[in-house]
Amino acid sequence: MYREIFAKQNQSEKAHSFLLSAFQALLKNTEDMIFVKTVDGIYAAVSQPFVRMVGKQDAAEIIGHTDFEIFESAELAKRYTDDDRRLFETDTDLVDYIEPLNDDKGHPRYSRTSKYILHDSTGEQLGIMGISRDVTSEYLSWQRYQQELRYLFELPEDTYAALFMDITEWRVIRHQSHDVGGHVITLHGTIDEFLENARSCIADPNDTRAKQFFRSVTRETMLELCGDGARDLTLEYQRRMPSGAVMWTQAHISFVVDPETGHSCAVWSLRDIHARKQEAEELQRAAELDEMTGLFNRATTIRKIRREIVERSDAQHALFMIDVDNFKTINDTRGHQTGDEFLVTMAQGLKKCFREGDVVGRIGGDEFFILMKNIPHPVAVLEKAETLLNVCRMICEHYESADLSVSFGISLFPANGSTFEALYESADNALYRAKALGKNRFSLAEE
Protein backbone atom coordinates (compact mmCIF):
# COMPACT_ATOMS: atom_id res chain seq x y z
CA MET A 1 0.00 0.00 0.00
CA TYR A 2 2.76 2.45 0.93
CA ARG A 3 4.58 1.45 -2.27
CA GLU A 4 1.50 2.44 -4.32
CA ILE A 5 1.23 5.79 -2.53
CA PHE A 6 4.90 6.58 -3.16
CA ALA A 7 4.56 5.48 -6.81
CA LYS A 8 1.63 7.84 -7.33
CA GLN A 9 3.56 10.62 -5.64
CA ASN A 10 6.55 10.05 -7.92
CA GLN A 11 4.28 10.05 -10.95
CA SER A 12 2.75 13.32 -9.80
CA GLU A 13 6.18 14.87 -9.33
CA LYS A 14 7.23 13.67 -12.79
CA ALA A 15 4.07 15.06 -14.33
CA HIS A 16 4.64 18.37 -12.56
CA SER A 17 8.26 18.44 -13.74
CA PHE A 18 7.17 17.56 -17.27
CA LEU A 19 4.56 20.33 -17.39
CA LEU A 20 6.97 22.85 -15.92
CA SER A 21 9.59 21.96 -18.51
CA ALA A 22 7.04 22.27 -21.31
CA PHE A 23 5.85 25.65 -20.03
CA GLN A 24 9.43 26.95 -19.84
CA ALA A 25 10.08 25.78 -23.40
CA LEU A 26 6.89 27.54 -24.50
CA LEU A 27 7.94 30.82 -22.86
CA LYS A 28 11.34 30.58 -24.51
CA ASN A 29 10.19 29.78 -28.05
CA THR A 30 6.73 31.28 -28.52
CA GLU A 31 6.15 34.38 -30.64
CA ASP A 32 3.27 35.41 -28.39
CA MET A 33 3.55 37.74 -25.42
CA ILE A 34 2.79 35.56 -22.38
CA PHE A 35 2.87 36.56 -18.73
CA VAL A 36 1.83 35.04 -15.41
CA LYS A 37 1.00 37.26 -12.40
CA THR A 38 0.12 36.41 -8.83
CA VAL A 39 -3.01 37.77 -7.16
CA ASP A 40 -0.74 40.46 -5.72
CA GLY A 41 0.16 41.66 -9.24
CA ILE A 42 3.72 40.30 -9.12
CA TYR A 43 5.09 38.79 -12.34
CA ALA A 44 5.99 35.11 -11.92
CA ALA A 45 6.82 34.18 -15.53
CA VAL A 46 7.11 35.95 -18.93
CA SER A 47 7.93 35.03 -22.54
CA GLN A 48 10.75 36.64 -24.50
CA PRO A 49 8.39 38.66 -26.79
CA PHE A 50 6.82 40.13 -23.62
CA VAL A 51 10.29 41.04 -22.34
CA ARG A 52 10.99 42.90 -25.59
CA MET A 53 7.60 44.61 -25.58
CA VAL A 54 8.22 46.25 -22.20
CA GLY A 55 11.69 47.33 -23.31
CA LYS A 56 13.73 45.05 -21.05
CA GLN A 57 16.73 42.88 -21.86
CA ASP A 58 16.04 39.88 -19.65
CA ALA A 59 13.10 38.21 -17.89
CA ALA A 60 14.89 38.66 -14.57
CA GLU A 61 14.19 42.40 -14.83
CA ILE A 62 10.44 41.64 -14.77
CA ILE A 63 9.91 38.55 -12.61
CA GLY A 64 9.30 39.52 -9.00
CA HIS A 65 8.18 43.03 -9.93
CA THR A 66 4.84 44.80 -10.41
CA ASP A 67 3.54 46.85 -13.33
CA PHE A 68 4.46 50.08 -11.53
CA GLU A 69 8.06 48.87 -11.25
CA ILE A 70 8.60 47.78 -14.86
CA PHE A 71 6.58 50.34 -16.87
CA GLU A 72 7.85 53.90 -17.11
CA SER A 73 4.32 55.20 -17.63
CA ALA A 74 2.42 55.26 -14.32
CA GLU A 75 -0.80 55.74 -16.28
CA LEU A 76 -0.18 52.55 -18.27
CA ALA A 77 0.76 50.60 -15.13
CA LYS A 78 -2.43 51.75 -13.37
CA ARG A 79 -4.53 50.71 -16.36
CA TYR A 80 -3.08 47.18 -16.36
CA THR A 81 -3.46 46.89 -12.56
CA ASP A 82 -7.08 48.08 -12.64
CA ASP A 83 -7.87 45.65 -15.47
CA ASP A 84 -6.51 42.75 -13.39
CA ARG A 85 -8.45 43.87 -10.31
CA ARG A 86 -11.74 43.92 -12.23
CA LEU A 87 -10.94 40.49 -13.61
CA PHE A 88 -10.47 39.05 -10.11
CA GLU A 89 -13.66 40.72 -8.90
CA THR A 90 -15.80 39.18 -11.63
CA ASP A 91 -13.84 35.88 -11.61
CA THR A 92 -14.40 35.72 -15.38
CA ASP A 93 -11.85 35.12 -18.12
CA LEU A 94 -11.40 37.86 -20.72
CA VAL A 95 -10.99 36.39 -24.19
CA ASP A 96 -9.87 37.93 -27.49
CA TYR A 97 -10.05 41.69 -27.02
CA ILE A 98 -8.00 44.21 -28.98
CA GLU A 99 -5.57 46.12 -26.82
CA PRO A 100 -3.40 49.11 -27.85
CA LEU A 101 0.25 48.94 -26.81
CA ASN A 102 3.68 50.21 -27.87
CA ASP A 103 6.61 48.17 -29.08
CA ASP A 104 10.11 48.45 -27.62
CA LYS A 105 10.76 51.55 -29.77
CA GLY A 106 7.58 53.30 -28.69
CA HIS A 107 5.72 52.69 -31.95
CA PRO A 108 1.95 52.10 -31.64
CA ARG A 109 0.87 48.47 -32.03
CA TYR A 110 -2.26 46.42 -31.39
CA SER A 111 -2.55 43.02 -29.75
CA ARG A 112 -5.29 40.43 -29.43
CA THR A 113 -5.24 39.58 -25.74
CA SER A 114 -6.81 36.90 -23.57
CA LYS A 115 -6.51 36.73 -19.77
CA TYR A 116 -7.32 33.61 -17.80
CA ILE A 117 -7.76 33.38 -14.00
CA LEU A 118 -5.66 30.60 -12.44
CA HIS A 119 -7.22 28.59 -9.59
CA ASP A 120 -5.94 25.88 -7.24
CA SER A 121 -7.73 22.58 -6.70
CA THR A 122 -10.08 24.21 -4.19
CA GLY A 123 -11.07 27.01 -6.57
CA GLU A 124 -9.05 29.70 -4.83
CA GLN A 125 -7.64 32.37 -7.14
CA LEU A 126 -3.87 32.09 -7.62
CA GLY A 127 -3.24 34.68 -10.33
CA ILE A 128 -3.64 35.51 -14.01
CA MET A 129 -2.09 34.17 -17.19
CA GLY A 130 -2.22 36.55 -20.14
CA ILE A 131 -1.56 35.71 -23.79
CA SER A 132 -1.21 38.51 -26.35
CA ARG A 133 -0.54 38.25 -30.07
CA ASP A 134 0.52 41.17 -32.24
CA VAL A 135 -2.31 41.73 -34.72
CA THR A 136 -1.37 45.27 -35.83
CA SER A 137 -1.42 44.39 -39.53
CA GLU A 138 -4.75 42.57 -39.32
CA TYR A 139 -6.30 45.26 -37.11
CA LEU A 140 -5.26 48.14 -39.39
CA SER A 141 -6.41 46.13 -42.40
CA TRP A 142 -9.82 45.67 -40.79
CA GLN A 143 -10.07 49.37 -39.96
CA ARG A 144 -9.11 50.25 -43.54
CA TYR A 145 -11.70 47.78 -44.85
CA GLN A 146 -14.43 49.37 -42.73
CA GLN A 147 -13.32 52.87 -43.75
CA GLU A 148 -13.47 52.03 -47.46
CA LEU A 149 -16.90 50.48 -47.06
CA ARG A 150 -18.14 53.67 -45.36
CA TYR A 151 -16.75 55.65 -48.31
CA LEU A 152 -18.68 53.40 -50.70
CA PHE A 153 -22.02 53.72 -48.90
CA GLU A 154 -21.65 57.43 -48.10
CA LEU A 155 -20.22 58.99 -51.25
CA PRO A 156 -18.64 62.41 -50.65
CA GLU A 157 -20.15 65.32 -52.55
CA ASP A 158 -17.24 65.49 -55.02
CA THR A 159 -17.35 61.77 -55.93
CA TYR A 160 -19.12 60.75 -59.13
CA ALA A 161 -19.03 57.04 -58.41
CA ALA A 162 -17.43 54.25 -56.42
CA LEU A 163 -17.41 50.51 -56.87
CA PHE A 164 -16.29 47.74 -54.57
CA MET A 165 -14.64 44.88 -56.44
CA ASP A 166 -13.37 41.46 -55.48
CA ILE A 167 -10.06 41.19 -57.32
CA THR A 168 -9.57 37.53 -56.49
CA GLU A 169 -12.87 36.59 -58.16
CA TRP A 170 -12.70 39.57 -60.58
CA ARG A 171 -16.25 40.75 -60.01
CA VAL A 172 -18.11 43.86 -58.88
CA ILE A 173 -19.64 43.40 -55.45
CA ARG A 174 -21.39 46.77 -55.22
CA HIS A 175 -21.35 50.10 -57.01
CA GLN A 176 -22.92 53.49 -56.45
CA SER A 177 -22.96 56.83 -58.28
CA HIS A 178 -24.60 60.23 -57.99
CA ASP A 179 -24.84 63.60 -59.70
CA VAL A 180 -21.89 65.97 -59.24
CA GLY A 181 -22.39 69.38 -60.79
CA GLY A 182 -24.86 68.04 -63.33
CA HIS A 183 -22.64 65.14 -64.41
CA VAL A 184 -23.36 61.47 -63.78
CA ILE A 185 -21.04 58.57 -64.63
CA THR A 186 -22.82 55.37 -65.55
CA LEU A 187 -21.27 52.25 -64.01
CA HIS A 188 -21.37 48.74 -65.42
CA GLY A 189 -22.02 45.29 -64.05
CA THR A 190 -18.59 43.82 -64.76
CA ILE A 191 -15.07 45.13 -64.15
CA ASP A 192 -14.10 44.63 -67.81
CA GLU A 193 -17.08 46.70 -68.99
CA PHE A 194 -16.17 49.42 -66.52
CA LEU A 195 -12.55 49.51 -67.74
CA GLU A 196 -13.57 49.56 -71.40
CA ASN A 197 -15.89 52.49 -70.74
CA ALA A 198 -13.15 54.32 -68.82
CA ARG A 199 -10.69 53.91 -71.70
CA SER A 200 -13.24 55.18 -74.23
CA CYS A 201 -13.91 58.30 -72.11
CA ILE A 202 -10.29 59.57 -72.02
CA ALA A 203 -10.72 63.04 -73.53
CA ASP A 204 -7.11 63.71 -74.55
CA PRO A 205 -6.06 61.33 -77.35
CA ASN A 206 -2.39 62.07 -76.54
CA ASP A 207 -2.72 61.15 -72.87
CA THR A 208 -0.60 58.00 -73.02
CA ARG A 209 -0.34 57.86 -69.22
CA ALA A 210 -4.12 57.51 -68.80
CA LYS A 211 -4.35 54.94 -71.58
CA GLN A 212 -1.56 52.89 -70.05
CA PHE A 213 -3.13 53.14 -66.59
CA PHE A 214 -6.45 51.63 -67.64
CA ARG A 215 -4.79 49.14 -70.00
CA SER A 216 -2.56 47.82 -67.20
CA VAL A 217 -5.43 47.31 -64.74
CA THR A 218 -5.88 43.55 -64.99
CA ARG A 219 -6.67 40.87 -62.44
CA GLU A 220 -3.06 39.64 -62.56
CA THR A 221 -1.42 43.04 -62.06
CA MET A 222 -3.80 44.05 -59.27
CA LEU A 223 -3.29 40.75 -57.42
CA GLU A 224 0.46 41.30 -57.74
CA LEU A 225 0.17 44.83 -56.34
CA CYS A 226 -1.90 43.59 -53.41
CA GLY A 227 0.65 40.86 -52.76
CA ASP A 228 3.46 43.42 -52.76
CA GLY A 229 1.65 45.48 -50.11
CA ALA A 230 0.47 48.35 -52.33
CA ARG A 231 -2.13 50.56 -50.64
CA ASP A 232 -3.49 52.58 -53.56
CA LEU A 233 -3.12 53.90 -57.11
CA THR A 234 -4.14 57.35 -58.34
CA LEU A 235 -4.57 58.85 -61.80
CA GLU A 236 -5.64 62.39 -62.70
CA TYR A 237 -6.92 62.74 -66.25
CA GLN A 238 -9.46 64.55 -68.42
CA ARG A 239 -12.63 62.49 -68.84
CA ARG A 240 -15.37 63.08 -71.36
CA MET A 241 -18.72 62.95 -69.58
CA PRO A 242 -21.94 61.54 -71.09
CA SER A 243 -23.06 65.15 -71.62
CA GLY A 244 -19.98 65.77 -73.78
CA ALA A 245 -18.29 68.04 -71.23
CA VAL A 246 -14.62 67.41 -70.48
CA MET A 247 -13.86 67.33 -66.77
CA TRP A 248 -10.66 66.73 -64.82
CA THR A 249 -11.27 63.51 -62.89
CA GLN A 250 -9.31 61.53 -60.32
CA ALA A 251 -9.42 57.74 -60.48
CA HIS A 252 -8.38 56.28 -57.13
CA ILE A 253 -7.95 52.58 -56.38
CA SER A 254 -7.66 51.67 -52.71
CA PHE A 255 -6.61 48.08 -51.99
CA VAL A 256 -8.13 46.22 -49.03
CA VAL A 257 -8.37 42.62 -47.86
CA ASP A 258 -11.73 41.11 -47.00
CA PRO A 259 -11.18 39.98 -43.39
CA GLU A 260 -13.74 37.18 -43.74
CA THR A 261 -12.77 35.61 -47.07
CA GLY A 262 -9.16 36.78 -47.26
CA HIS A 263 -9.79 37.89 -50.86
CA SER A 264 -7.90 40.81 -52.35
CA CYS A 265 -10.40 43.61 -52.95
CA ALA A 266 -10.40 47.25 -54.02
CA VAL A 267 -12.60 50.32 -53.81
CA TRP A 268 -12.41 52.32 -57.04
CA SER A 269 -13.64 55.91 -56.83
CA LEU A 270 -14.01 58.65 -59.44
CA ARG A 271 -13.77 62.20 -58.07
CA ASP A 272 -14.39 65.64 -59.55
CA ILE A 273 -11.13 67.64 -59.36
CA HIS A 274 -11.92 70.04 -62.21
CA ALA A 275 -11.95 73.24 -60.14
CA ARG A 276 -8.71 72.36 -58.38
CA LYS A 277 -6.92 71.53 -61.63
CA GLN A 278 -8.17 74.72 -63.29
CA GLU A 279 -6.96 76.79 -60.35
CA ALA A 280 -3.56 75.07 -60.46
CA GLU A 281 -3.28 75.64 -64.21
CA GLU A 282 -4.19 79.30 -63.83
CA LEU A 283 -1.53 79.71 -61.16
CA GLN A 284 0.99 77.97 -63.39
CA ARG A 285 0.12 80.18 -66.34
CA ALA A 286 0.33 83.29 -64.16
CA ALA A 287 3.79 82.24 -63.00
CA GLU A 288 4.92 81.84 -66.61
CA LEU A 289 3.56 85.09 -68.00
CA ASP A 290 4.79 88.66 -68.06
CA GLU A 291 2.28 90.54 -65.92
CA MET A 292 2.03 93.58 -68.21
CA THR A 293 1.97 92.14 -71.72
CA GLY A 294 0.60 88.63 -71.14
CA LEU A 295 3.51 87.15 -73.12
CA PHE A 296 5.84 84.57 -71.59
CA ASN A 297 8.23 86.11 -69.08
CA ARG A 298 12.00 85.93 -69.47
CA ALA A 299 12.59 82.70 -67.53
CA THR A 300 9.74 80.85 -69.24
CA THR A 301 10.74 82.09 -72.70
CA ILE A 302 14.30 80.91 -72.33
CA ARG A 303 13.24 77.58 -70.81
CA LYS A 304 10.81 76.88 -73.65
CA ILE A 305 13.36 77.80 -76.31
CA ARG A 306 15.96 75.53 -74.73
CA ARG A 307 13.49 72.66 -74.54
CA GLU A 308 12.35 73.14 -78.13
CA ILE A 309 15.82 73.01 -79.66
CA VAL A 310 16.66 69.92 -77.59
CA GLU A 311 13.46 67.99 -78.27
CA ARG A 312 13.29 68.98 -81.95
CA SER A 313 16.95 69.11 -82.82
CA ASP A 314 16.24 67.61 -86.27
CA ALA A 315 14.12 70.63 -87.32
CA GLN A 316 15.02 74.19 -88.34
CA HIS A 317 14.04 77.11 -86.09
CA ALA A 318 14.54 80.88 -86.15
CA LEU A 319 15.23 83.10 -83.14
CA PHE A 320 14.04 86.72 -83.43
CA MET A 321 15.60 89.21 -81.00
CA ILE A 322 13.50 92.39 -81.09
CA ASP A 323 14.31 95.78 -79.59
CA VAL A 324 12.31 99.04 -79.69
CA ASP A 325 14.37 101.98 -80.98
CA ASN A 326 14.25 105.17 -78.93
CA PHE A 327 11.80 103.70 -76.41
CA LYS A 328 13.10 105.99 -73.65
CA THR A 329 11.69 109.00 -75.49
CA ILE A 330 8.08 107.87 -75.15
CA ASN A 331 8.46 107.55 -71.38
CA ASP A 332 10.19 110.93 -71.19
CA THR A 333 7.78 112.85 -73.43
CA ARG A 334 4.43 111.13 -72.93
CA GLY A 335 4.80 109.32 -69.60
CA HIS A 336 5.33 105.77 -68.43
CA GLN A 337 1.65 104.89 -68.73
CA THR A 338 1.78 105.59 -72.47
CA GLY A 339 5.02 103.62 -72.68
CA ASP A 340 3.32 100.66 -71.01
CA GLU A 341 0.38 100.99 -73.39
CA PHE A 342 2.79 100.88 -76.35
CA LEU A 343 4.48 97.72 -75.05
CA VAL A 344 1.11 95.97 -74.61
CA THR A 345 0.08 96.94 -78.16
CA MET A 346 3.44 95.75 -79.50
CA ALA A 347 3.09 92.45 -77.66
CA GLN A 348 -0.33 91.89 -79.21
CA GLY A 349 1.04 92.67 -82.67
CA LEU A 350 3.95 90.23 -82.23
CA LYS A 351 1.60 87.51 -81.01
CA LYS A 352 -0.68 87.88 -84.03
CA CYS A 353 2.23 87.59 -86.47
CA PHE A 354 3.22 84.11 -85.29
CA ARG A 355 1.60 80.74 -84.91
CA GLU A 356 0.08 79.63 -81.62
CA GLY A 357 2.84 77.06 -81.09
CA ASP A 358 5.69 79.55 -81.54
CA VAL A 359 7.37 80.95 -78.43
CA VAL A 360 6.71 84.69 -77.98
CA GLY A 361 8.10 86.34 -74.86
CA ARG A 362 9.19 89.60 -73.28
CA ILE A 363 12.67 89.28 -71.85
CA GLY A 364 12.80 92.68 -70.20
CA GLY A 365 12.05 96.37 -70.81
CA ASP A 366 11.43 96.86 -74.52
CA GLU A 367 13.10 93.62 -75.65
CA PHE A 368 11.31 90.54 -76.97
CA PHE A 369 12.33 87.03 -78.02
CA ILE A 370 10.43 84.91 -80.54
CA LEU A 371 11.25 81.36 -81.56
CA MET A 372 9.67 80.53 -84.92
CA LYS A 373 9.53 76.75 -84.82
CA ASN A 374 9.82 74.18 -87.58
CA ILE A 375 10.50 76.52 -90.48
CA PRO A 376 10.26 74.78 -93.88
CA HIS A 377 12.97 76.96 -95.47
CA PRO A 378 14.99 80.11 -94.59
CA VAL A 379 12.95 82.01 -97.20
CA ALA A 380 9.93 81.63 -94.89
CA VAL A 381 11.91 83.47 -92.21
CA LEU A 382 12.59 86.40 -94.54
CA GLU A 383 8.91 86.60 -95.47
CA LYS A 384 7.92 86.53 -91.80
CA ALA A 385 10.51 89.21 -90.99
CA GLU A 386 9.10 91.54 -93.67
CA THR A 387 5.55 91.03 -92.35
CA LEU A 388 6.68 91.60 -88.78
CA LEU A 389 8.57 94.77 -89.66
CA ASN A 390 5.51 96.21 -91.40
CA VAL A 391 3.27 95.42 -88.41
CA CYS A 392 5.75 97.09 -86.04
CA ARG A 393 5.98 100.17 -88.28
CA MET A 394 2.17 100.49 -88.25
CA ILE A 395 2.11 100.33 -84.46
CA CYS A 396 4.89 102.93 -84.16
CA GLU A 397 3.03 105.33 -86.46
CA HIS A 398 0.38 105.78 -83.76
CA TYR A 399 3.14 107.25 -81.57
CA GLU A 400 4.66 109.47 -84.26
CA SER A 401 5.86 112.22 -81.92
CA ALA A 402 7.98 109.72 -79.98
CA ASP A 403 10.04 108.79 -83.08
CA LEU A 404 9.73 105.07 -82.36
CA SER A 405 10.82 102.20 -84.57
CA VAL A 406 11.75 98.54 -84.16
CA SER A 407 14.94 96.68 -85.04
CA PHE A 408 15.57 92.97 -84.78
CA GLY A 409 18.21 90.38 -85.41
CA ILE A 410 17.54 86.82 -86.53
CA SER A 411 19.60 83.67 -86.05
CA LEU A 412 18.84 80.22 -87.45
CA PHE A 413 19.02 76.84 -85.76
CA PRO A 414 21.19 74.92 -86.36
CA ALA A 415 23.01 77.04 -88.97
CA ASN A 416 23.97 79.81 -86.50
CA GLY A 417 24.32 77.62 -83.43
CA SER A 418 23.10 74.39 -81.83
CA THR A 419 22.58 75.86 -78.33
CA PHE A 420 20.48 78.67 -76.95
CA GLU A 421 23.60 80.62 -75.97
CA ALA A 422 24.98 80.41 -79.51
CA LEU A 423 21.68 81.47 -81.07
CA TYR A 424 21.34 84.32 -78.56
CA GLU A 425 24.80 85.62 -79.39
CA SER A 426 24.21 85.40 -83.16
CA ALA A 427 20.83 87.15 -82.95
CA ASP A 428 22.29 89.84 -80.67
CA ASN A 429 25.10 90.53 -83.15
CA ALA A 430 22.55 90.72 -85.97
CA LEU A 431 20.45 93.16 -83.94
CA TYR A 432 23.49 95.33 -83.27
CA ARG A 433 24.19 95.40 -87.00
CA ALA A 434 20.57 96.40 -87.82
CA LYS A 435 20.81 99.34 -85.40
CA ALA A 436 24.20 100.34 -86.80
CA LEU A 437 22.68 100.44 -90.30
CA GLY A 438 20.11 103.03 -89.23
CA LYS A 439 17.51 101.12 -87.16
CA ASN A 440 13.94 100.38 -88.25
CA ARG A 441 15.06 97.19 -90.01
CA PHE A 442 16.11 93.59 -89.46
CA SER A 443 19.32 91.72 -90.07
CA LEU A 444 20.13 88.01 -90.44
CA ALA A 445 22.99 86.47 -88.53
CA GLU A 446 26.00 85.55 -90.58
CA GLU A 447 26.81 81.86 -90.86
Side-chain angles (χ1 to χ4, degrees):
M1 180 177 177
Y2 291 109
R3 189 179 295 114
E4 292 177 359
I5 293 175
F6 284 125
K8 289 181 179 179
Q9 183 177 350
N10 288 337
Q11 288 177 357
S12 177
E13 290 176 353
K14 287 182 179 179
H16 180 270
S17 178
F18 172 76
L19 291 176
L20 180 60
S21 177
F23 183 64
Q24 289 173 339
L26 174 66
L27 293 180
K28 182 179 179 181
N29 297 291
T30 184
E31 294 183 0
D32 294 334
M33 293 171 283
I34 300 177
F35 64 87
V36 177
K37 290 182 185 178
T38 69
V39 288
D40 298 322
I42 298 173
Y43 284 90
V46 292
S47 66
Q48 287 303 311
F50 186 88
V51 173
R52 291 194 296 270
M53 186 273 291
V54 299
K56 303 298 183 181
Q57 298 296 321
D58 190 85
E61 299 178 70
I62 301 174
I63 295 174
H65 298 280
T66 66
D67 288 318
F68 286 98
E69 293 172 324
I70 66 172
F71 288 103
E72 294 183 3
S73 170
E75 181 181 354
L76 186 63
K78 185 177 185 304
R79 194 187 84 192
Y80 288 152
T81 302
D82 289 345
D83 287 346
D84 294 345
R85 177 179 50 78
R86 284 191 293 270
L87 206 62
F88 284 127
E89 289 174 353
T90 60
D91 199 29
T92 305
D93 295 338
L94 193 59
V95 180
D96 281 348
Y97 72 97
I98 301 299
E99 180 180 33
L101 50 84
N102 291 334
D103 61 16
D104 57 340
K105 296 181 179 178
H107 299 149
R109 309 291 295 176
Y110 295 90
S111 68
R112 183 181 298 279
T113 300
S114 296
K115 292 182 179 180
Y116 304 95
I117 300 177
L118 303 176
H119 301 85
D120 64 12
S121 58
T122 65
E124 185 178 350
Q125 294 176 343
L126 297 175
I128 294 176
M129 181 174 71
I131 304 175
S132 295
R133 176 166 296 175
D134 190 326
V135 292
T136 303
S137 178
E138 296 90 333
Y139 182 72
L140 293 180
S141 177
W142 172 259
Q143 282 192 323
R144 182 174 171 82
Y145 181 80
Q146 294 297 319
Q147 179 181 348
E148 294 300 338
L149 285 186
R150 284 196 297 273
Y151 183 94
L152 179 67
F153 287 100
E154 304 171 5
L155 290 186
E157 293 182 359
D158 64 349
T159 302
Y160 294 112
L163 69 158
F164 184 47
M165 61 177 70
D166 186 319
I167 302 172
T168 303
E169 295 185 350
W170 201 239
R171 66 185 179 91
V172 175
I173 298 175
R174 180 184 175 91
H175 59 73
Q176 186 169 319
S177 62
H178 67 53
D179 186 306
V180 178
H183 303 289
V184 178
I185 293 179
T186 303
L187 296 177
H188 299 270
T190 70
I191 298 175
D192 291 330
E193 289 175 341
F194 170 76
L195 290 172
E196 179 59 34
N197 176 258
R199 284 191 287 265
S200 67
C201 291
I202 298 173
D204 184 357
N206 299 317
D207 191 347
T208 55
R209 183 170 175 267
K211 292 179 180 179
Q212 178 61 28
F213 179 89
F214 290 110
R215 193 162 44 241
S216 63
V217 176
T218 64
R219 178 176 180 272
E220 291 72 23
T221 57
M222 293 185 76
L223 282 175
E224 183 178 351
L225 287 169
C226 285
D228 291 340
R231 291 182 63 105
D232 49 27
L233 294 175
T234 302
L235 169 73
E236 295 183 352
Y237 69 110
Q238 289 180 292
R239 181 183 179 106
R240 191 172 300 280
M241 297 297 171
S243 63
V246 174
M247 304 293 290
W248 275 102
T249 307
Q250 182 193 76
H252 182 79
I253 303 174
S254 181
F255 296 108
V256 292
V257 176
D258 188 324
E260 295 184 3
T261 65
H263 288 187
S264 297
C265 299
V267 174
W268 190 319
S269 62
L270 297 170
R271 294 180 56 208
D272 172 25
I273 58 169
H274 195 72
R276 175 169 66 81
K277 291 293 288 188
Q278 280 191 318
E279 182 179 352
E281 289 175 353
E282 289 173 3
L283 290 173
Q284 179 64 30
R285 282 194 295 270
E288 292 182 342
L289 300 181
D290 174 62
E291 186 176 356
M292 180 193 300
T293 63
L295 301 181
F296 291 125
N297 58 31
R298 178 185 179 87
T300 304
T301 302
I302 295 174
R303 184 178 71 251
K304 286 182 174 292
I305 293 174
R306 287 186 192 277
R307 185 174 63 192
E308 193 65 33
I309 63 180
V310 169
E311 293 180 354
R312 302 193 183 185
S313 58
D314 57 341
Q316 293 188 89
H317 312 294
L319 177 64
F320 289 68
M321 186 174 180
I322 301 169
D323 184 78
V324 180
D325 303 320
N326 308 318
F327 178 70
K328 186 175 182 299
T329 60
I330 192 172
N331 285 333
D332 292 343
T333 60
R334 301 177 62 174
H336 285 82
Q337 185 173 353
T338 303
D340 291 348
E341 176 191 292
F342 169 81
L343 291 175
V344 171
T345 305
M346 178 61 67
Q348 293 172 347
L350 297 178
K351 190 79 172 175
K352 289 178 181 179
C353 280
F354 290 86
R355 298 163 296 180
E356 185 176 348
D358 292 332
V359 181
V360 183
R362 180 189 180 203
I363 61 171
D366 58 337
E367 294 181 318
F368 301 86
F369 266 0
I370 300 171
L371 184 71
M372 183 179 174
K373 303 189 302 188
N374 301 320
I375 57 175
H377 192 275
V379 173
V381 178
L382 292 175
E383 293 174 349
K384 181 64 68 175
E386 291 287 355
T387 300
L388 180 61
L389 189 60
N390 288 331
V391 169
C392 292
R393 284 170 175 166
M394 291 175 60
I395 294 173
C396 291
E397 286 176 359
H398 290 287
Y399 301 86
E400 184 176 357
S401 62
D403 190 28
L404 297 175
S405 63
V406 172
S407 300
F408 50 96
I410 307 169
S411 60
L412 302 178
F413 174 89
N416 300 127
S418 58
T419 65
F420 169 75
E421 288 75 16
L423 288 176
Y424 188 170
E425 183 179 1
S426 297
D428 191 33
N429 290 335
L431 173 61
Y432 179 80
R433 187 163 51 254
K435 287 183 174 291
L437 292 172
K439 304 179 181 179
N440 194 24
R441 68 189 67 228
F442 67 87
S443 175
L444 290 174
E446 298 176 351
E447 294 189 26

